[in-house]
Amino acid sequence: MESKAIFNLSDLVNDDFADAVTLIYNSKGRVIITGIGKSAIIASKIVATLNSTGTPSIFMHAADAIHGDLGLILEDDIVICISKSGNTPEIKVLIPLIKRAKNKMIAITGNKESFLGQHADYVLNAYVEKEACPNNLAPTTSTTAQLVIGDALAVCLLELRGFSSTDFAKYHPGGALGKKLYLRVQDISSVTQKPKVSASTIIRDVIIEITEKMLGVTAVVENNKIIGIITDGDLRRMLTKVDDFSKLTAKDIMSANPKRIQADAMAIDALEVIEAFGISQLLVEENGTYAGVVHLHDLIKEGII
């Protein structure tokens, strides 16, 4: 029932929706979103979505608004009022106060003929035929429709602003999502370990270097430039081929032209390279010189995966 109601919303989108988006986009103020009951909870979520996508917004509970919180609304602010019926007592008291202050008002309501619908500057029709509740009482389908309209507003405004993933990262610095958007290879702590040997390093010392740095790998460098890589796997394969490795050097067992990534590249890009080539470590370069190692385990620890 809810999915059908959402599908039907597309037929209710009209010029008021486009005009409301344009109004918000061109506004120098904030968006104040208000509601009562379950609609207030939906209003809070829409506020969060708008804030995270570049449209400054504030939640104002309709009941609190008529007991002092009207002071939140500044001259250039736009008010979005959410109400299924559009006729709840708190909304009917609030609307004349908003109109008196001459703030533009957008209604999200399921009843265009309601008090709210008649007095709003723009009406976004959230009509639903029936609640999913068996008694047609508990707000279910109606609040889902309100939420979808809020998401549609946010996405339209996001596209108008040219809001990019870089912009998104500014508002989401915490958690795994934020790290995917801002964490760079050079920010990963183990990159500073920098296990390295020269081409002429004997195998015994190669093993010691890999063991001490605990990354399962070492770079082979010449004048601090990468010329190869030796992994734990290379050492095991060597042991299956020779009985005496005392005369072997790093150059004899290294893999030339290893996969590498720039230090200022995004950590998520490092993960894509690691997954594409089925490897566990990736050498890091900065200005053409060896800068360290990024390991699959680092990316897991940072929450990139």
Side-chain angles (χ1 to χ4, degrees), residues 45-46 49 146-156:
K45 191 276 179 187
I46 296 174
T49 302
Q146 293 166 358
L147 188 63
V148 170
I149 290 175
D151 287 343
L153 282 173
V155 172
C156 289

Side-chain angles (χ1 to χ4, degrees), residues 5-288:
I6 293 171
F7 180 80
N8 290 338
L9 284 180
S10 60
D11 294 329
L12 303 180
V13 174
N14 57 18
D15 289 344
D16 268 17
F17 182 88
D19 291 341
V21 170
T22 303
L23 176 72
I24 296 170
Y25 177 66
N26 292 327
S27 171
K28 296 179 181 178
R30 307 158 302 173
V31 177
I32 310 295
I33 309 184
T34 188
I36 197 80
K38 303 297 187 296
S39 294
I41 297 171
I42 297 300
S44 292
K45 191 276 179 187
I46 296 174
V47 164
T49 302
L50 288 173
N51 279 327
S52 69
T53 51
T55 300
S57 305
I58 294 177
F59 170 67
M60 179 181 71
H61 197 282
D64 294 333
I66 58 179
H67 292 283
D69 279 5
L70 271 175
L72 284 172
I73 306 176
L74 302 180
E75 183 179 354
D76 293 325
D77 290 344
I78 296 165
V79 179
I80 297 178
C81 192
I82 305 176
S83 172
K84 177 190 176 183
S85 72
N87 287 315
T88 55
E90 294 85 355
I91 296 297
K92 293 177 78 170
V93 172
L94 179 60
I95 289 170
L97 301 175
I98 296 171
K99 298 294 288 184
R100 187 173 65 189
K102 298 183 179 179
N103 292 89
K104 291 293 185 181
M105 185 166 57
I106 300 166
I108 299 178
T109 181
N111 183 3
K112 294 192 298 180
E113 306 306 318
S114 64
F115 188 83
L116 172 60
Q118 292 294 320
H119 289 83
D121 296 289
Y122 304 97
V123 179
L124 309 187
N125 195 346
Y127 172 77
V128 296
E129 185 176 335
K130 192 174 184 292
E131 299 287 5
C133 162
N135 300 313
N136 194 27
L137 294 173
T140 46
T141 312
S142 60
T143 48
T144 301
Q146 293 166 358
L147 188 63
V148 170
I149 290 175
D151 287 343
L153 282 173
V155 172
C156 289
L157 289 163
L158 179 155
E159 292 185 357
L160 277 176
R161 298 186 196 285
F163 199 81
S164 66
S165 60
T166 302
D167 297 316
F168 201 78
K170 295 177 185 177
Y171 300 103
H172 296 78
L177 175 60
K179 288 186 176 181
K180 287 181 180 180
L181 294 169
Y182 77 82
L183 189 70
R184 297 186 183 275
V185 171
Q186 62 197 11
D187 299 325
I188 297 174
S189 59
S190 70
V191 169
T192 60
Q193 294 283 352
K194 296 179 66 171
K196 62 180 180 179
V197 296
S198 66
S200 60
T201 300
I202 61 174
I203 297 302
R204 178 181 178 277
D205 291 339
V206 170
I207 294 172
I208 291 173
E209 179 70 0
I210 292 176
T211 302
E212 287 182 347
K213 299 298 170 56
M214 296 186 296
L215 292 173
V217 67
T218 184
V220 183
V221 300
E222 188 175 278
N223 297 322
N224 211 29
K225 294 187 181 296
I226 299 169
I227 62 171
I229 189 172
I230 299 174
T231 67
D232 283 338
D234 293 323
L235 293 175
R236 287 193 295 271
R237 283 186 287 274
M238 175 199 69
L239 292 173
T240 64
K241 295 177 181 178
V242 298
D243 294 324
D244 181 12
F245 57 84
S246 59
K247 296 181 180 180
L248 295 178
T249 64
K251 186 177 181 180
D252 297 320
I253 67 168
M254 74 178 190
S255 300
N257 300 315
K259 299 292 180 292
R260 61 196 81 182
I261 194 166
Q262 295 301 309
D264 62 353
M266 304 304 294
I268 189 68
D269 294 332
L271 174 62
E272 290 177 1
V273 175
I274 285 173
E275 290 182 333
F277 292 96
I279 55 181
S280 298
Q281 308 97 339
L282 194 56
L283 299 185
V284 180
E285 280 185 324
E286 186 171 15
N287 298 323

